[in-house]
Every structure is written in structure tokens, then in C-alpha cells.
């Protein structure tokens, strides 16, 4: 059967097949503070307790002894400058948030609940000193605890955790990020909206795809726009060099000018699969040339975005070492009825309302306006029956890239 006539690959099968083709790239040792956006390649064990001592969580006074009316203030424990002695019965020290509890300090009275005259302290009527204002040693984690699992993305919070766990001045072993080349192809494309003719189209996909790939890539090389000729495509593929992932946009369908498949063939790439039962994005193709992976995305801008989101980003995350590279789906209620689905798994651009998710009115696969307004992709499985308002539907959050 010719590739044109073979039935399209079901969406989930295609995602699984693609993931099976990717192996995480090697590792590299880089300064911990530069690990933003990287993936851990092994569990990370803390090198210290956090906090390393019992600390005060509030500004106030640390007290020793119970059942007395007044305390004698004998000094101060400030953040980074602890009170050096042991507190004795009836003694108190001024203490600030984050400062170490003095030895013998049992409870904290808040500054606003303390009545102080000279070095005498009494607690205000109705208030009480409490041990709950003490952050105990190891409250966050203990030395040896695995604070980040394997294959976790280091975002800002994880980066702070790495520093807090004792790796501030050291290096971490993280996954290497892939090199990416993005080629947009099409005779009608122009990079210059000022001088182009009305029959031309601004080449928006290349910029969009490069922006999507950038957080997961060591480098992104943009090539084109290039003409729909075998020569121009051959030249563009040569320029892609040894990029780990080559992404093309346009020319993936079966039109007379759709030359991506024959060009890849001439370049020495072997087709793995082509055409997915998804809407938008049916003409997606996947090919390999040695260790290089080629994703041929459809030219329609929304099709290009959705296929990049569902296939390219998972590939990049997997190569970078992600344990869970596929976008996560959440069930949310529908804000309005939706018709029965077609024979392809459909990803409907939707907005988030107070009562749930609502499909946007414009679903054409060229409509960037609706895509830019969308908060979510609503998933409608192939042949799913009509869905009523209030029913739960699978939803992908666009803002988070589907991974949080
Ligand atoms: N007879 C059939 N025709 C089509 C089929 C089919 O199965 N049989 N599939 C349709 C589907 S679905 C899609 S999606 C499109 C995609 O086809 P291509 O990947 O070959 O895309 P092009 O024809 O090159 O372009 C489609 C559309 O997108 C615009 N475009 C292309 N590149 C860019 C870019 N870099 N930036 C902005 N816009 C771009 C292009 O001008 C076209 O308007 O095929 C259907 N046809
Ligand atoms: O699947 Mo195409 O991507 O409908 O426009």
C-alpha cells in the first residue's frame, strides 16, 4: 500500500512510537547555578539539613521557663548571628525571623505580644508564647534525602532547592540539550511583510517553532523560508548539519509542491511514519537519518503549533532526559455542549471560563488569532459522542507547555 493510502496512525500510537525512537542524549557536568531548564539524570540527595538548626519563624523573643510572670532579656539572636550562651530559666533573648533558637530556648512570643520595659518582658494579656513559631532542624529536608528525582526539569523552584540542598558552588550532572534546526518551506512565504505581495504569506511558523523549541534546546538554527524545490530543500537540509532534531514546516501533505518527503529521501533520511489521525495536524511525518530525527510538520500555522506541542516538545524533553516528556492532560468540565467528534482525535482550541472550558468559535487550522486567545486544547477522542455542558473533558494547559 502506498503511504498516501495507508490509514493514518492513531494519535496515541504515534506519540508512543515517537517516544520509543528517542533515547536521552549524553550527560554533562555544569555549574549548579546554570542548570535552569535542564533535567536531572539521577536522583539528587541533599548534602545538608534544611534548616540546619532550629530557627525562629517570627520576630519576637525566645523564652526559657514556664509559669513565670516576667522574663529578663539577656541578649539577642539575629539571623546569621546566634546568641552564644545557653538560656536559663526566666531568661529571654530578642530573636528575628530566621535566627537560630538559643540553647535552652523553648518558645517564642511574638514581638507584638510582648510588653517590654528596660530588660523586663511580660506577655500581653490573652497572648501566649508558643513552640509552633520554631522551624525545627530538617523541617524541609535532611541530608541524604532525595530532593529531586531522576528526569525532573530544573525550573526556578527546583533551582532554589538545588542551591539550598548544598550544591551552590558545585556542578551537577544533567542531560545534554539537543541541537535543533527549523526549516520553513513554501514558495508563498516571505520574511518581509513590508515588501511582499498579497499572494505571499508571512513566514510565521519558523519563528513560532523556534520559540517553542528554545527552552528545551542547546541551540535553534532557523533556515529559510526556502522554496518548494528539491534543490532548495536539499540545500536547507545540508544547512541543518548534524542537528539532533530537524523540524520542517509545510510541504508535508500530498500536493504537487509537497516535496518534503522526497527531499528527505534524497538526503538519506528514512521515513518512520507519516499521517496521524489527529485534527489539526494530519500530515505530520517522522523520519530518521542515523541518530538525527526529522519531524515534518504541516504548514497550516495551527496544525504546526499543535503537532509541535504534541510531538516536537516531547521529543526535545525526552532527549534532554525528562522522565515524563508527554503533555499532561487534566479533566475539566465543559462550559457548553460540543458536537460528536470526527474520525480523528481532535484538539479544539478553548478558553477557560468560570464554569469550565469553552471551545472558541474559530477552529480553522490557519487561524492564529484564535490560537493566540486559547488557554487550553480540549481533547476529543476519535468518534467520541456529543458532549454536554458539565461533562468532564480531557484538557491540556497551553501556558505550562503541558508539563505542570
Ligand atoms: N488533497 C489533500 N489536501 C490536503 C490534505 C489532504 O489530506 N489531502 N491535508 C490538508 C491538511 S490536514 C493540512 S494540515 C495541509 C498541510 O499541508 P502542508 O504541510 O503540505 O502545508 P502547505 O501546503 O505547505 O501549507 C499549508 C498552509 O499553511 C501555510 N504555511 C505554510 N508554511 C507556513 C509558514 N512557515 N508560516 C506561515 N504559514 C505557512 C501555507 O501558506 C498554506 O496556506 O494540507 C491540507 N491539504
Ligand atoms: O489537519 Mo490539517 O492540520 O486539518 O489542517
Amino acid at each position: 500500500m502506498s503511504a498516501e493510502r495507508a490509514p493514518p496512525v492513531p494519535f496515541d500510537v504515534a506519540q508512543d512510537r515517537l517516544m520509543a525512537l528517542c533515547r536521552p542524549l549524553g550527560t554533562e557536568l555544569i555549574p549548579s547555578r546554570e542548570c535552569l531548564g535542564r533535567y536531572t539524570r539521577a536522583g539528587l540527595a541533599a548534602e545538608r539539613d534544611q534548616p540546619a538548626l532550629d530557627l525562629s519563624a517570627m520576630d519576637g523573643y525566645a523564652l526559657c521557663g514556664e509559669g513565670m510572670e516576667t522574663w529578663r532579656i539577656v541578649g539577642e539572636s539575629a539571623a546569621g548571628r546566634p546568641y552564644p550562651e545557653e538560656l536559663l530559666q526566666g531568661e529571654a533573648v530578642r530573636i528575628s525571623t530566621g535566627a537560630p533558637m538559643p540553647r535552652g530556648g523553648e518558645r517564642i512570643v511574638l514581638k507584638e505580644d510582648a510588653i517590654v520595659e528596660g530588660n523586663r518582658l511580660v506577655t500581653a494579656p490573652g497572648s501566649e508564647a508558643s513552640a509552633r513559631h520554631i522551624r525545627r532542624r530538617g523541617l524541609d529536608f535532611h541530608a541524604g534525602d532525595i530532593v529531586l528525582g531522576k528526569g525532573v526539569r530544573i525550573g526556578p523552584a527546583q533551582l532554589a532547592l538545588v542551591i539550598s540542598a548544598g550544591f551552590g558552588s558545585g556542578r551537577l550532572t544533567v542531560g545534554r540539550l539537543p541541537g535543533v534546526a527549523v526549516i520553513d518551506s513554501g514558495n508563498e512565504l516571505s520574511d518581509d511583510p513590508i515588501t511582499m505581495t498579497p499572494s505571499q504569506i508571512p513566514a510565521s511558523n519558523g519563528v513560532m517553532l523556534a520559540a517553542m523549541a528554545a527552552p528545551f534546546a542547546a541551540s535553534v538554527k532557523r533556515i529559510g523560508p526556502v522554496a518548494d524545490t528539491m534543490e532548495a530543500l536539499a540545500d536547507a537540509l545540508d544547512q541543518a548539519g548534524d542537528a539532533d532534531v530537524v523540524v520542517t514546516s509545510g510541504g508535508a501533505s500530498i500536493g504537487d509542491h509537497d516535496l518534503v518527503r522526497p527531499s528527505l529521501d534524497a538526503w538519506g533520511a528514512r521515513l518512520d511514519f507519516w499521517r496521524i489521525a489527529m485534527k489539526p495536524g494530519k500530515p505530520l511525518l517522522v523520519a530518521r537519518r542515523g541518530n538525527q530525527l526529522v519531524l515534518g510538520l504541516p504548514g497550516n500555522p495551527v496544525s504546526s503549533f499543535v503537532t509541535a506541542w504534541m510531538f516536537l516538545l516531547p521529543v526535545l524533553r525526552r532527549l534532554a532526559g525528562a522522565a515524563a516528556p508527554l503533555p499532561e492532560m487534566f479533566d475539566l468540565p465543559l462550559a457548553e455542549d460540543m458536537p460528536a467528534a470526527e474520525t480523528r482525535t481532535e484538539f479544539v482550541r478553548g478558553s477557560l471560563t468560570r464554569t469550565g472550558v469553552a471551545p472558541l468559535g474559530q477552529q480553522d487550522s490557519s487561524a492564529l488569532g484564535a490560537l493566540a486567545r486559547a488557554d487550553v486544547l480540549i481533547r476529543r477522542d476519535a468518534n467520541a459522542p456529543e458532549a454536554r455542558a458539565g461533562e468532564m473533558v480531557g484538557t491540556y494547559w497551553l501556558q505550562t507547555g503541558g508539563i505542570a
Side-chain angles (χ1 to χ4, degrees):
M1 190 171 0
S2 76
E4 283 87 359
R5 303 228 178 268
V9 185
F11 172 77
D12 295 308
V13 174
Q15 261 190 340
D16 289 348
R17 263 173 83 167
L18 185 56
M19 289 300 100
L21 294 179
C22 308
R23 291 274 165 277
L25 302 172
T27 59
E28 55 191 356
L29 252 185
I30 63 168
S32 310
R33 294 189 180 97
E34 292 167 25
C35 283
L36 187 69
R38 299 306 194 105
Y39 286 86
T40 55
R41 291 299 298 274
L44 190 72
E47 300 220 314
R48 56 183 293 280
D49 294 345
Q50 174 62 15
L53 303 167
D54 290 356
L55 304 180
S56 174
M58 300 297 238
D59 294 317
Y61 295 84
L63 311 179
C64 175
E66 247 177 302
M68 47 204 71
E69 307 233 308
T70 62
W71 281 265
R72 193 164 62 86
I73 302 169
V74 295
E76 179 181 14
S77 176
R81 213 164 9 90
Y83 180 68
E85 311 294 331
E86 180 167 359
L87 275 195
L88 305 175
Q89 284 281 319
E91 289 185 338
V93 291
R94 264 189 297 138
I95 195 159
S96 21
T97 304
M101 284 298 286
R103 270 176 301 126
E106 294 157 347
R107 289 169 305 136
I108 302 278
V109 62
L110 304 189
K111 190 170 181 187
E112 50 274 43
D113 294 336
I115 300 168
V116 175
E117 275 179 29
N119 68 349
R120 295 274 139 206
L121 178 153
V122 295
T123 56
S127 68
E128 175 168 283
S130 170
R132 73 194 156 86
H133 301 309
I134 302 171
R135 284 192 187 124
R136 296 294 175 190
R137 173 180 177 172
L139 167 148
D140 198 354
F141 50 80
H142 289 101
D145 285 354
I146 301 294
V147 288
L148 288 179
K150 181 181 173 185
V152 171
R153 184 158 201 254
I154 302 178
Q158 293 74 19
L159 187 59
L161 179 60
V162 164
I163 306 295
S164 181
F167 296 94
S169 55
R171 287 165 182 268
L172 284 192
T173 301
V174 292
R176 184 167 78 73
L177 296 180
V180 177
V182 176
I183 303 171
D184 40 4
S185 74
N187 291 332
E188 74 283 28
L189 301 179
S190 164
D191 243 347
D192 185 358
I194 310 276
T195 57
M196 70 183 212
T197 63
S199 56
Q200 287 187 295
I201 294 220
S204 53
N205 286 354
V207 176
M208 175 182 76
L209 296 170
M212 292 173 81
F216 305 102
S219 62
V220 183
K221 181 175 187 181
R222 271 203 63 207
I223 302 162
V226 300
D228 289 319
T229 64
M230 291 296 281
E231 298 71 33
L233 280 162
D235 182 49
L237 288 167
D238 278 343
Q239 286 182 53
D242 58 1
D244 298 295
V245 179
V246 178
V247 187
T248 64
S249 128
S253 190
I254 55 172
D256 296 340
H257 303 284
D258 292 337
L259 297 177
V260 167
R261 270 185 310 138
S263 305
L264 287 173
D265 197 45
W267 189 52
R270 293 290 154 258
L271 188 71
D272 222 281
F273 55 96
W274 178 51
R275 296 168 79 242
I276 317 293
M278 69 186 283
K279 183 182 175 181
K282 190 169 80 174
L284 176 77
L285 74 78
V286 173
R288 275 181 300 167
R289 181 188 189 244
N291 289 330
Q292 290 178 286
L293 194 73
V294 185
L295 288 184
L297 309 186
N300 277 323
V302 179
S303 316
S304 214
F305 179 92
V306 173
T307 48
W309 211 83
M310 292 293 183
F311 292 93
L312 170 62
L313 298 190
V315 162
L316 299 182
R317 293 193 281 255
R318 174 109 174 102
L319 293 177
L326 293 177
E328 262 184 88
M329 190 174 76
F330 298 91
D331 285 339
L332 288 176
L334 260 182
E336 50 189 76
D337 296 351
M338 284 188 81
E342 300 177 20
T343 53
R344 298 187 262 168
T345 300
E346 193 171 348
F347 296 97
V348 177
R349 278 70 72 204
S351 61
L352 200 55
T353 73
R354 287 186 66 182
T355 54
V357 289
L360 293 170
Q362 177 55 272
Q363 294 292 330
D364 192 273
S365 58
S366 69
L368 278 175
L371 177 68
R373 283 196 303 281
D375 304 307
V376 294
L377 294 175
I378 302 168
R379 175 174 170 148
R380 301 284 287 136
D381 283 327
N383 304 311
E386 190 185 0
R388 294 271 176 215
E391 249 177 69
M392 300 299 264
V393 281
T395 305
Y396 297 89
W397 283 81
L398 288 172
Q399 241 180 16
T400 60
I403 48 168

